[in-house]
């Protein structure tokens, strides 16, 4: 859906998406890195199960919600990609999960 | 509706949960009903209630209220079924029993003492409840945190989807031909020969009977028909989280998961007049208590908060009354529009249609505020 | 500029908190600091510039002609800000701004709820300038929620911040100057655009020309014409579009449109929609500032005075969040708002304030010339604001359809708030940003009243999601404890 221009030569930043290894560039948000990697669906809706992907890229629409390093409902378009991030498709409503040692 | 003269059997003032439930019950009795309501921006406790169908803890100081509440909870399945039949909407009634969680020994003692006093009242309706310690509570609610010292469980408690109920009641009254008139605030009520004349910027409506279900505005309207509704606002704040996969089937007194997945966290009680600002300090206490009760909530995003005004009478109990001087003028006001919806639709409304109040409600008139009660 | 990278690094209190680091926020901060005001700029993005100058100092784009000189103008603003003594908190979410109540510990200060790297904190400020900018107007057509449908602004952001250009079958659709600007930028960047489907109603030409003869003297004219010529020369522009659908099962694969009663389909991997931008008013609404309906721009905008002060004392609103006027105007409006704040903070006198504002006002007047032409000419068609197709989703978050909205109006929901309670429309995480105007206009249409009478959602904090744990860790009071643990 998107390709990177040759002048975009920022440092490569490896991450995983649903376990698959991918590489973004310094300066990418999570949503941009996913689009560059050919990912157009990043979550499904809690109401209907319909697939969604990034829509506004500026923090307004909340359609790029993903799970990042175990934290659900992160806005992919506002979070800067960091090396080693484990990003996951958010399928429907996420599970509420206790922090370790809390119970 | 503007500058027109309308007539109807019964006018209900107020289109919130109380007014809509009564209008629904009246319409089911075959009465011609019109509901006059305020506009989009109004106080509207019905848009901010906690959606519990709650029995435990109700009625300390007035056992009739405990019985009335219990009866409504028992009648709720019939209301849900009637609404489903009339609208096709499932309002999500679930009555698995409910818990009040205590986060300290002092809280637990206070709750237990209140429960003991409640059930020791003469003429108190009998129903089961259990007092549970942490271990017993955690058997039924595995997700509780270690700060929960115990709980009170009552098998009669439950909850509904109250916003869906709100919409469903409106859909149901429309189906029965009830005229619903938003943006029609009533300015004056004048008793006339054959009933009442209601006036406002909308024009005039003449009704044989009248039900005041206008929440806090009842305080202003009631004296116009020689009734009394000394109700005042009591502010309550609510937190709503994003949707999560179902993890909690039971409602708690101050925390529940809706059938849509969001978690609602309540509820503060403050006296700040008509102010409805959400305040961070209160929201923070509510959030902290919620996370102590269920640590798995910690990472959930809050997507909304809300604050609205309960309709509080001097003793906190409902007022149901018919005007002695102007018979046919009824008053209904309470702060439990969800719990009592079944009674309002299935018991109160039919009685009003017949011209009186239901049996067992004589203690609810406002006259109680003038009679010194025996200790 | 002092960059704040951790929540602990904030001071407890500032003279002036500015929300947003776009042109209005940056210009306001630089000027206020120069007058000795202690300023913090709070911004959601990782680098300054807002959307118009997004990533202007960090973009990988090196060929200046792709983004155009108007974009690079932002460098100067950012550099001025970087050289200032302002505090700057990037990647920071402002989720609440609340005025202190008389008699409580805040006095007349504002309490500002911020969140940074998963931790929340309450800051205090004497004055607040909201420079929250604009967002693209909702474009509710059938299929607009399919993956593969994005906004034109989104593609521009991907280009500016990551050097990404659309690949495969690309279609642009809608109206507005930004649509043509993005088309031109994407062409320059080497994207291949199948078509630009222009939904501008044909009648707009006439109404715009008759309403605004002043456009001939406008600085926008030459620029706009050059852009139009370039786009028309380089790609297939199809005008007079009256209906538009995005189609596909799990993702977009086709766009269908109607023109002069004829339906056409195009295979399509990426559809970029745009029909103008509207003020971002969630925060000003939640604070309680009064808003008016702007019948030309078809949006609510906050009421502001000559110093861009809102109806809530101490809150000024600058830039496009006070009504759309463009990036250059935003900077000038930010500076005027900063002069107003510096005056109220007693850093400058009325004389200096007025003198310094005079050239800025002259600049604004010049920039305003022809603006009305753009507004009238690009006024989006009703068919694309009030969806007639029943299945079209109005609320993307809660997936509420146009049919449900219309049925609920018939039920007596006379405004957006009752609508919200009845349908959950607007209750999701976007908090009405992508449905609010549509709902107002749909109710307006069904009830045949004015949008001003219908009104907008009454919004509450948090205006952006924040976790329960973050809120739970905030300072509490004995009164608050008493109100809850009874």
């Amino acid at each position: 859906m998107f390709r990177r221009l040759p002048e975009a030569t920022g440092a490569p930043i490896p991450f995983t998406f649903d376990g698959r290894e991918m590489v973004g560039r310094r300066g990418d948000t999570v949503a941009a890195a996913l689009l560059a990697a050919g990912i157009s669906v990043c979550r499904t809706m809690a109401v209907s199960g319909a697939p969604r992907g990034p829509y506004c890229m500026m923090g307004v629409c909340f359609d790029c919600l993903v799970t990042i390093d175990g934290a659900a409902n992160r806005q992919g378009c506002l979070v800067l990609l960091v090396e080693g991030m484990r990003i996951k498709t958010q399928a429907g409503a996420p599970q509420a999960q206790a922090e370790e040692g809390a119970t | 509706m503007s500058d027109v003269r309308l007539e109807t059997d019964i006018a209900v003032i107020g289109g919130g949960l109380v007014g809509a439930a009564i209008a629904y019950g009246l319409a089911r009795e075959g009465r011609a009903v019109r509901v006059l309501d305020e506009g989009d921006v109004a106080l509207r406790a019905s848009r901010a209630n906690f959606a519990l169908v709650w029995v435990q803890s109700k009625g300390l100081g007035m056992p009739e209220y405990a019985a009335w509440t219990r009866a409504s909870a028992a009648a709720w399945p019939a209301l849900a079924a009637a609404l489903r039949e009339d609208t096709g909407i499932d309002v999500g009634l679930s009555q698995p029993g409910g818990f009040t969680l205590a986060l300290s020994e002092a809280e637990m003692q206070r709750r237990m003492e209140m429960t003991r006093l409640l059930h020791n009242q003469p003429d108190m309706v009998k129903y089961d409840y259990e007092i549970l310690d942490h271990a017993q509570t955690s058997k039924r609610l595995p997700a509780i945190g270690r700060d929960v010292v115990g709980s009170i469980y009552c098998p009669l408690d439950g909850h509904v989807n109250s916003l869906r109920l709100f919409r469903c009641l409106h859909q149901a009254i429309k189906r029965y031909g009830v005229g619903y008139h938003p943006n029609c605030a009533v300015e004056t009520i004048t008793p006339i020969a054959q009933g009442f004349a209601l006036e406002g910027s909308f024009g005039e409506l003449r009704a044989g009977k009248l039900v005041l279900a206008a929440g806090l505005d009842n305080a202003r309207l009631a004296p116009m028909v020689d009734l009394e509704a000394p109700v005042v606002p009591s502010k309550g704040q609510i937190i709503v989280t994003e949707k999560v996969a179902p993890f909690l089937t039971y409602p708690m007194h101050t925390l529940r998961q809706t059938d849509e997945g969001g978690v609602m966290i309540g509820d503060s009680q403050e006296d700040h007049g008509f102010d409805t600002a959400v305040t961070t300090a209160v929201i923070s206490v509510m959030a902290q208590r919620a996370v102590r009760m269920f640590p798995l909530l910690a990472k959930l995003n809050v997507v909304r908060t809300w604050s609205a005004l309960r309709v509080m009478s001097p003793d906190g109990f409902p007022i149901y009354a018919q005007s002695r001087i102007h018979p046919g003028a009824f008053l209904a006001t309470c702060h439990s529009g969800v719990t009592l919806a079944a009674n309002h639709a299935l018991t109160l409304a039919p009685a009003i249609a017949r011209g009186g109040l239901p049996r067992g409600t004589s203690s609810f008139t406002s006259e109680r505020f003038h009679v010194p009660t025996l200790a | 500029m002092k960059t704040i990278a951790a929540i602990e690094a904030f001071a407890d209190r500032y003279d002036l908190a500015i929300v947003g680091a776009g042109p209005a926020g940056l210009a306001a901060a630089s000027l206020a600091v120069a007058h000795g005001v202690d300023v913090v700029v709070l911004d959601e993005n990782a680098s300054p510039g807002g959307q118009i100058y997004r990533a202007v100092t960090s973009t990988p784009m090196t060929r200046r002609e792709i983004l155009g000189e108007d974009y690079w103008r932002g460098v100067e603003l950012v550099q001025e800000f970087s050289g200032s003594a302002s505090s700057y908190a990037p990647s920071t979410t402002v989720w609440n701004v609340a005025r202190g109540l008389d008699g409580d510990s805040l006095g007349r200060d504002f309490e500002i709820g911020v969140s940074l790297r998963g931790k929340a904190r309450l800051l205090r400020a004497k004055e607040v300038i909201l420079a929250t900018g604009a967002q693209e107007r909702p474009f509710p057509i059938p299929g607009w929620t399919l993956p593969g449908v994005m906004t034109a602004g989104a593609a521009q952001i991907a280009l500016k911040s990551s050097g990404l250009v659309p690949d495969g079958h690309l279609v642009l659709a809608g109206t507005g100057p930004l649509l043509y600007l993005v088309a031109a930028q994407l062409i320059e960047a080497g994207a291949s655009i199948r078509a630009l489907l222009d939904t501008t109603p044909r009648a707009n030409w006439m109404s715009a020309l008759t309403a605004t003869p002043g456009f001939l003297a406008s600085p926008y004219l030459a620029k706009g014409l050059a852009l139009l010529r370039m786009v028309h020369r380089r790609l297939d522009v199809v005008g007079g579009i009256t209906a538009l659908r995005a189609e596909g099962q799990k993702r977009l694969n086709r766009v269908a449109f109607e023109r002069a009663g004829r339906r056409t389909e195009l295979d399509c991997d990426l559809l970029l929609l745009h029909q103008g931008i509207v003020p971002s008013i969630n925060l000003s609404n939640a604070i309680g500032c009064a808003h008016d309906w702007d019948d030309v721009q078809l949006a609510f905008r906050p009421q502001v005075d000559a110093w861009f002060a809102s109806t809530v004392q101490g809150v000024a609103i600058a830039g496009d969040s006070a009504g759309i006027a463009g990036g250059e105007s935003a900077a000038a409006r930010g500076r005027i708002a900063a002069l107003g704040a510096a005056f109220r903070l007693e850093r400058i006198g009325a004389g200096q304030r007025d003198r310094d504002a005079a050239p800025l006002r002259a600049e604004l007047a010049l920039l305003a010339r022809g603006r009305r032409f753009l507004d009238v000419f690009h006024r989006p068609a009703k068919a694309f604001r009030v969806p007639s197709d029943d299945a079209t989703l109005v609320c993307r978050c809660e997936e509420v359809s146009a049919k449900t909205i219309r049925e609920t109006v018939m039920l007596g929901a006379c405004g957006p708030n009752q609508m919200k309670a009845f349908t959950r429309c607007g209750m999701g995480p976007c908090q009405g940003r992508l449905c609010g105007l549509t709902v107002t206009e749909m109710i307006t249409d069904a009830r045949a009243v004015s949008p001003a009478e219908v009104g907008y959602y009454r919004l509450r904090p948090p205006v952006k999601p924040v976790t329960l744990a973050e809120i739970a860790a905030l300072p509490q009071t004995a009164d608050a404890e008493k109100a809850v643990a009874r």
Side-chain angles (χ1 to χ4, degrees):
Chain A
M1 205 157 68
F2 284 84
R3 67 185 162 83
R4 212 177 287 268
L5 291 175
E7 55 259 58
T9 55
I13 302 196
F15 67 98
T16 65
F17 179 69
D18 290 343
R20 284 182 286 161
E21 292 186 3
M22 296 180 175
V23 179
R25 296 278 180 183
R26 181 174 305 283
D28 280 354
T29 59
V30 165
L34 291 177
L35 289 174
I39 306 296
S40 59
V41 178
C42 64
R43 70 155 173 154
T44 58
M45 298 300 286
V47 182
S48 70
R52 289 282 171 89
Y55 176 73
C56 79
M57 293 296 276
M58 55 177 275
V60 169
C61 76
F62 291 77
D63 268 331
C64 62
L65 295 179
V66 285
T67 298
I68 301 176
D69 294 335
N73 279 320
R74 303 294 310 277
Q75 286 184 272
C77 72
L78 291 181
V79 178
L80 270 189
L81 186 69
V82 171
E83 185 166 342
M85 263 183 178
R86 288 165 296 126
I87 301 161
K88 283 187 178 158
T89 299
Q90 189 163 304
Q95 299 280 340
Q97 282 170 346
E99 287 172 277
E100 276 174 30
T103 43
Chain B
M1 190 161 92
S2 63
D3 296 322
V4 285
R5 180 182 284 192
L6 291 169
E7 301 202 351
T8 187
D9 290 356
I10 308 178
V12 177
I13 303 181
L17 284 174
V18 175
I22 293 171
Y24 175 55
L26 292 170
R28 277 165 52 95
E29 297 289 315
R31 300 310 156 110
V33 182
R34 287 183 188 275
V35 176
L36 300 182
D37 203 1
E38 290 187 272
D40 190 51
V41 178
L43 294 175
R44 299 226 180 266
S46 298
R47 294 203 295 234
N49 66 73
F50 204 64
L52 296 175
V53 176
W54 204 250
V55 178
Q56 67 165 294
S57 76
K58 300 279 185 84
L60 178 56
M62 191 181 196
E64 294 88 345
Y65 179 48
W68 179 245
T69 297
R70 199 208 150 156
S72 195
W76 242 105
L79 175 63
L83 286 170
R84 193 181 306 115
E85 197 180 314
D86 285 335
T87 64
I89 295 175
D90 177 356
V91 296
L93 175 69
S94 163
Q95 294 176 295
F99 293 82
T100 300
L101 302 183
L103 288 172
S104 70
E105 283 302 335
E107 259 180 61
M108 191 68 207
Q109 289 306 321
R110 199 162 66 233
R111 290 286 176 195
M112 282 164 58
E113 178 64 7
M114 277 172 56
T115 304
R116 193 184 63 78
L117 289 173
L118 173 70
H119 287 274
N120 281 351
Q121 297 180 107
D123 305 322
M124 176 66 191
V125 59
K126 296 285 171 243
Y127 61 82
D128 289 339
Y129 65 93
E130 295 173 68
I131 291 180
L132 307 172
D133 63 15
H134 175 90
Q136 291 164 324
T137 307
S138 91
K139 258 187 203 151
R140 297 186 210 178
L141 297 171
I144 56 166
R146 59 188 161 212
D147 287 357
V148 176
V149 301
S151 67
I152 297 172
Y153 169 78
C154 172
L156 302 180
D157 293 326
H159 56 162
V160 293
N161 187 312
S162 62
L163 292 178
R164 212 182 300 139
L165 167 67
F166 193 21
R167 177 183 182 186
C168 182
L169 284 169
H170 275 264
Q171 209 155 310
I173 63 173
K174 186 181 172 71
R175 184 169 176 259
Y176 278 98
V178 172
Y180 172 70
H181 306 286
N183 292 311
C184 287
V186 173
E187 282 155 28
T188 60
I189 305 169
T190 313
I192 52 173
Q194 296 290 310
F196 304 90
L198 282 55
E199 286 179 89
S201 60
F202 55 87
E204 185 183 276
L205 171 67
R206 293 188 170 210
K209 283 185 189 140
L210 171 68
V211 181
L212 302 182
L216 289 165
D217 206 25
N218 275 346
R220 179 182 67 89
L221 294 169
M224 296 178 189
V225 286
D226 231 52
L227 284 163
E228 188 191 20
V231 288
V232 293
S234 161
K235 178 172 163 180
Q237 304 193 36
I238 287 175
I239 299 174
V240 188
T241 74
E242 66 198 349
K243 293 181 171 77
V244 281
F247 76 98
L248 188 61
T249 47
Y250 295 98
M252 310 294 117
H253 183 224
T254 58
L255 192 153
R256 52 181 286 267
Q257 185 173 30
T258 71
D259 57 354
E260 284 132 353
V263 179
M264 287 181 72
I265 297 160
D267 65 338
S268 64
Q269 194 162 318
E270 302 157 82
D271 298 324
H272 286 310
F274 284 84
D275 162 65
T276 57
V278 169
T279 51
T280 316
V282 168
I283 293 292
S284 177
V285 175
M286 284 162 48
Q288 191 185 52
R289 288 179 61 86
V291 172
R292 287 174 68 203
M293 288 176 186
F294 294 97
L296 49 64
L297 299 177
K299 294 268 191 68
L300 293 194
N301 281 323
V302 174
V303 290
R304 281 181 295 131
T305 61
W306 206 254
S307 148
L309 303 174
R310 295 183 193 83
V311 182
M312 259 318 164
S313 66
D315 57 9
F317 302 121
I319 308 172
Y320 303 114
Q322 177 172 201
S323 174
R324 288 184 194 282
I325 296 176
H326 305 293
F330 293 85
L331 167 70
T333 182
C334 70
H335 61 85
S336 301
V338 175
T339 299
L340 298 178
N343 274 4
H344 290 163
L346 305 179
T347 307
L348 179 63
I352 289 173
R354 289 189 301 270
L357 287 170
R359 227 190 279 246
T361 58
S362 56
S363 330
F364 290 108
T365 68
S366 56
E367 282 161 24
R368 70 179 188 267
F369 303 122
H370 303 297
V371 181
T373 47
L374 295 172
Chain C
M1 175 182 89
K2 180 190 157 207
T3 301
I4 292 171
I7 198 88
E8 298 78 15
F10 281 105
D12 287 330
R13 191 155 183 235
Y14 296 91
D15 291 335
L16 171 63
I18 296 174
V19 185
L26 294 175
S30 300
L31 188 75
V33 164
H35 287 298
V37 177
D38 182 22
V39 178
V40 64
V41 175
L42 308 158
D43 191 54
E44 203 168 42
N45 286 319
S47 62
Q51 303 309 336
I52 186 161
Y53 305 130
R54 176 97 174 202
V56 72
T57 48
S58 58
T59 178
M61 302 294 291
T62 46
R63 287 177 283 161
R64 292 177 72 92
E65 67 278 13
I66 293 180
L67 293 171
E69 284 313 308
D70 279 352
Y71 173 68
W72 299 106
R73 213 188 286 273
V75 172
E76 200 182 322
L77 266 178
V78 173
Q79 280 174 350
E80 186 193 9
F81 174 69
S82 302
S84 80
S86 178
S87 292
Y88 167 57
S91 301
T92 299
T93 302
V94 174
W95 48 266
N96 188 28
V97 174
R99 168 113 243 180
L101 302 168
D102 277 326
D104 74 13
S105 60
L106 269 177
R108 299 301 289 176
D109 277 6
F110 289 92
E111 176 190 270
I112 300 167
V114 298
S115 174
L116 172 58
R117 293 171 188 253
K119 285 186 190 165
R121 186 160 162 193
L122 301 177
L123 311 176
R124 292 171 65 158
K126 291 182 203 158
E127 290 274 329
V128 175
I129 295 178
L130 304 181
T132 50
Q135 64 160 77
E136 290 169 276
R137 178 189 301 282
F139 204 141
I141 57 165
W144 73 309
T145 54
L146 283 170
V149 181
M150 298 176 76
T151 68
Q156 194 193 39
I157 287 166
L159 179 64
K160 287 173 180 172
S161 49
S162 291
L164 295 177
V165 287
D167 209 9
H169 295 311
L170 169 64
V171 174
L172 276 65
T175 183
L178 183 63
L179 183 70
Y180 278 83
L181 176 63
V182 172
Q185 290 171 332
L186 294 179
I187 293 167
E188 283 288 350
S192 129
I193 301 176
R194 288 204 75 174
L196 188 155
L197 308 175
D198 193 321
T199 61
T200 311
R202 297 228 188 263
N204 283 14
W205 270 112
M206 203 35 93
S207 45
L209 283 173
T210 49
T212 59
F215 188 60
L216 293 176
S218 156
Y220 301 106
L221 181 63
K223 217 188 276 180
L225 284 179
L227 200 62
L228 276 178
R229 266 201 304 274
M230 184 274 203
V231 171
H232 276 267
R233 201 173 61 238
R234 305 271 296 266
L235 64 83
D236 185 14
V237 175
V238 187
I241 304 292
T242 54
L244 192 61
R245 309 176 66 89
E247 297 179 343
Q249 286 300 314
K250 293 286 176 194
R251 74 178 313 291
L252 173 79
N253 51 36
R254 201 169 43 248
V255 56
F257 58 92
E258 278 174 33
R259 184 179 184 242
R262 241 189 80 230
R263 183 185 151 103
T264 309
E265 291 179 2
L266 285 177
D267 286 344
C268 180
D269 302 312
L270 179 61
L271 171 63
L272 299 179
L273 297 175
H274 178 83
Q275 54 175 350
I277 60 174
V278 295
S280 295
I281 57 162
N282 277 49
L283 194 48
S284 54
N285 178 311
I287 293 171
C289 304
H291 292 71
D292 287 327
W293 175 258
D294 183 327
D295 208 37
V296 177
Q297 295 192 347
L298 297 169
F300 287 98
R301 57 173 162 72
Q303 288 175 12
V304 289
D305 69 10
W307 301 98
F308 296 98
S310 76
T311 55
V312 172
Q313 199 194 337
V315 176
I317 304 171
D320 275 354
S321 46
I324 304 304
E328 283 181 72
S329 293
R333 292 157 103 191
R335 291 189 181 105
I336 294 172
L339 289 171
F343 169 72
R344 287 190 297 276
L345 290 162
E346 297 177 2
R347 298 301 198 286
I348 57 173
Q352 183 182 1
R353 176 195 64 175
D354 296 353
R355 265 194 314 281
D356 289 1
L360 296 166
R361 294 192 192 284
E363 186 188 343
L364 274 185
L366 182 69
L367 290 167
R369 273 198 216 159
R371 187 78 222 174
R372 192 174 157 82
F373 177 92
L374 292 182
D375 291 340
V376 176
F377 178 65
H378 290 292
R379 186 182 165 101
K382 184 179 155 192
F384 299 110
R385 309 190 324 263
V386 179
S388 55
D389 171 82
D390 270 349
T392 301
L393 289 185
V394 171
C395 170
R396 297 172 67 99
C397 297
E398 294 287 338
E399 304 187 270
V400 181
S401 70
K403 178 167 184 265
T404 301
I405 301 290
R406 266 189 284 273
E407 283 174 354
T408 313
V409 179
M410 296 311 291
L411 218 49
C414 57
N417 295 290
Q418 191 82 339
M419 175 68 64
K420 184 174 173 178
F422 277 180
T423 64
R424 301 190 60 78
C425 187
M427 281 194 183
C430 100
Q431 300 179 338
R433 287 170 174 88
L434 269 291
C435 68
L437 285 174
T438 312
V439 167
T440 294
E441 290 216 71
M442 285 186 76
I443 299 173
T444 298
D445 185 54
R447 288 185 54 208
V449 293
S450 71
E453 187 180 332
V454 170
Y456 196 73
Y457 294 129
R458 183 185 177 193
L459 301 170
R460 305 283 199 144
V463 297
K464 282 282 176 101
V466 54
T467 68
L468 265 182
E470 285 176 89
I471 290 182
L474 294 172
Q476 299 168 2
T477 61
D479 279 352
E481 177 77 23
K482 218 174 88 192
V484 180
R486 339 184 267 285

